[in-house]
Amino acid sequence: VRMERTIAVGDGANDLPMLEVAGLAVGFAPKPAVEPVCDVVVETMDELAREFEERGILSQSR
């Protein structure tokens, strides 16, 4: 899989290496040091699902 097709979700400094190389870096209620490297920041699983749905990554029937 090409790196630009990967998604990483993290919140802390230990997640920085994967967030920095992922095609889509998602901060899940990230710490202040992590937020600048994130393409998207979400606070809940519902927000994450909506973000993925909008990007065509996830389709969900409700």
Side-chain angles (χ1 to χ4, degrees):
V1 175
R2 297 186 323 262
M3 289 306 288
E4 62 268 11
R5 294 187 46 88
T6 63
I7 301 167
V9 180
D11 68 343
N14 61 313
D15 298 318
L16 283 171
M18 72 173 176
L19 291 167
E20 290 170 341
V21 299
L24 177 63
V26 181
F28 193 96
K31 307 287 189 279
V34 175
E35 195 165 344
V37 303
C38 297
D39 300 309
V40 176
V41 172
V42 298
E43 299 292 328
T44 67
M45 291 298 290
D46 284 338
E47 285 180 41
L48 182 60
R50 264 193 311 277
E51 186 66 41
F52 284 0
E53 287 172 0
E54 289 172 8
R55 292 173 179 267
I57 297 166
L58 173 71
S59 68
Q60 193 172 37
S61 300
R62 291 186 188 230

